[in-house]
Amino acid sequence: MIHAVEEVQASRATLGDYLTLTKPRIIALLVVTAYCAMVVADGRIPPLGLTFFALLGLAMSTAGAHAVNMWYDRDIDAVMSRTRRRPLVTGKIPPQQALWMGIGLELASIALVLWRVNSLTAVWTTIGFLFYVVIYTIWLKRRTPQNIVIGGAAGSIPPLVGWAAVTGHMSVAAWLMFLIIFLWTPPHFWSLALYKRDDYQRAGVPMMPVVRGERSTKWQSAVYAVLLLGASIALYATHVVDVIYLVIALIIGLGFIAVHVPLLREHMPQVRWAKRTFHMSLWYMTGIFFAMVAGGLWR
């Protein structure tokens, strides 16, 4: 009977449901950061063929990691308002199908990148997959409020993928791009967690606002915003970007710090500035990597 129900439910799954399984909006952001790193590494628009296969491989690997993440987290997704309509929760896609889809996408990604890009790029895409699935999803997410801090390394890997695809090696500049995303991740996710606190509490996920409280979360977020500004300035010192990058990095970096001032003054249940900080974090990430491209092409 159970298998019969799963077959009926699976038959209702659409292409959109499978696309949802891969978290396409997150993939888009990660692919953009990898491409920006490719441009900076090359000092020009990189070859179309190399770009296509490197970014396709990264997208496949990331999609696979997200599918496995949804497979593992389907129990807590069911009790959170922002995730309870995901296709594994609603039963449109059977769990085993999502798991094998994720593993299959990763294996295909490795094969593609080894064939058309280089081995170092394949290594970094694989590390990103394993870090997100094993370190963040399975090990850290349900065990420690530092889940996002450490787990954020997974989302920081795409610039390393892009740099490796163009150069075949790593550099200080590539690691600084990694560091920028790594330091950006806590204030980005914690601002979301501030106004989704009840969701995480219901699911038993020890996000910082749930475990340490809003005040500690906001102060730590502000510290990361300051460190983020420092890391963005350090990238200019590597001479892979021009002064236009530095100007933009200073403006948006100081702006991101500035939104933490009213955020620190805000108290639950008020979440207006938590939401604004979250949206500002998205604009920041777009702006800083746009600045890298502009500064990299014009240096």
Side-chain angles (χ1 to χ4, degrees):
M1 174 64 76
I2 293 175
H3 293 299
V5 171
E6 283 190 348
E7 287 178 9
V8 172
Q9 290 173 328
S11 69
R12 298 205 309 266
T14 65
L15 180 60
D17 293 320
Y18 287 100
L19 190 62
T20 298
L21 205 60
T22 67
K23 303 182 183 179
R25 287 185 294 181
I26 297 177
I27 291 177
L29 181 61
L30 298 181
V31 165
V32 166
T33 61
Y35 178 70
C36 291
M38 293 178 74
V39 172
V40 174
D42 214 15
R44 58 190 174 91
I45 303 298
L48 182 60
L50 176 65
T51 300
F52 175 78
F53 287 110
L55 298 185
L56 177 60
L58 173 63
M60 290 167 62
S61 178
T62 306
H66 289 161
V68 177
N69 167 267
M70 284 203 193
W71 164 78
Y72 190 82
D73 278 352
R74 63 191 185 278
D75 58 332
I76 60 175
D77 283 348
V79 299
M80 297 176 65
S81 61
R82 72 184 185 89
T83 57
R84 63 189 178 194
R85 296 189 182 279
R86 286 178 172 175
L88 286 181
V89 177
T90 59
K92 289 185 176 181
I93 298 176
Q96 295 82 358
Q97 197 173 104
L99 175 61
W100 288 113
M101 172 182 163
I103 294 172
L105 281 168
E106 175 58 21
L107 293 176
S109 167
I110 294 171
L112 176 67
V113 174
L114 282 173
W115 175 44
R116 298 305 302 258
V117 188
N118 59 52
S119 58
L120 183 59
T121 305
V123 167
W124 280 117
T125 55
T126 304
I127 289 174
F129 176 91
L130 292 174
F131 207 100
Y132 186 75
V133 170
V134 179
I135 304 298
Y136 171 66
T137 301
I138 297 176
W139 180 31
L140 296 173
K141 185 173 181 179
R142 307 186 192 207
R143 288 178 171 82
T144 170
Q146 295 298 318
N147 48 19
I148 285 301
V149 177
I150 303 169
S156 307
I157 285 176
L160 302 183
V161 172
W163 197 278
V166 168
T167 68
H169 60 78
M170 288 292 97
S171 74
V172 173
W175 282 109
L176 283 170
M177 292 180 190
F178 170 96
L179 184 60
I180 286 170
I181 301 178
F182 184 79
L183 294 172
W184 166 86
T185 301
H188 168 67
F189 272 98
W190 286 342
S191 57
L192 172 67
L194 281 166
Y195 66 89
K196 294 291 185 180
R197 183 178 180 276
D198 291 345
D199 260 2
Y200 289 112
Q201 193 164 29
R202 256 194 320 272
V205 178
M207 279 293 184
M208 191 66 71
V210 175
V211 178
R212 298 286 185 263
E214 64 167 309
R215 185 166 181 80
S216 176
T217 301
K218 290 174 180 180
W219 274 108
Q220 289 188 60
S221 181
V223 170
Y224 275 102
V226 173
L227 294 174
L228 178 59
L229 177 62
S232 67
I233 294 171
L235 181 63
Y236 174 71
T238 64
H239 306 295
V240 299
V241 288
D242 204 347
V243 69
I244 187 173
Y245 162 81
L246 180 62
V247 172
I248 297 174
L250 284 170
I251 292 171
I252 62 176
L254 291 171
F256 192 41
I257 293 172
V259 299
H260 282 78
V261 175
L263 177 66
L264 285 165
R265 293 174 179 169
E266 184 175 71
H267 300 290
M268 293 292 205
Q270 297 297 319
V271 293
R272 181 177 63 174
W273 280 101
K275 291 180 179 180
R276 288 182 176 180
T277 303
F278 174 74
H279 292 299
M280 176 63 180
S281 71
L282 295 173
W283 282 108
Y284 176 88
M285 184 53 56
T286 302
I288 198 70
F289 276 87
F290 168 79
M292 290 178 198
V293 170
L297 289 176
W298 295 344
R299 73 178 188 265

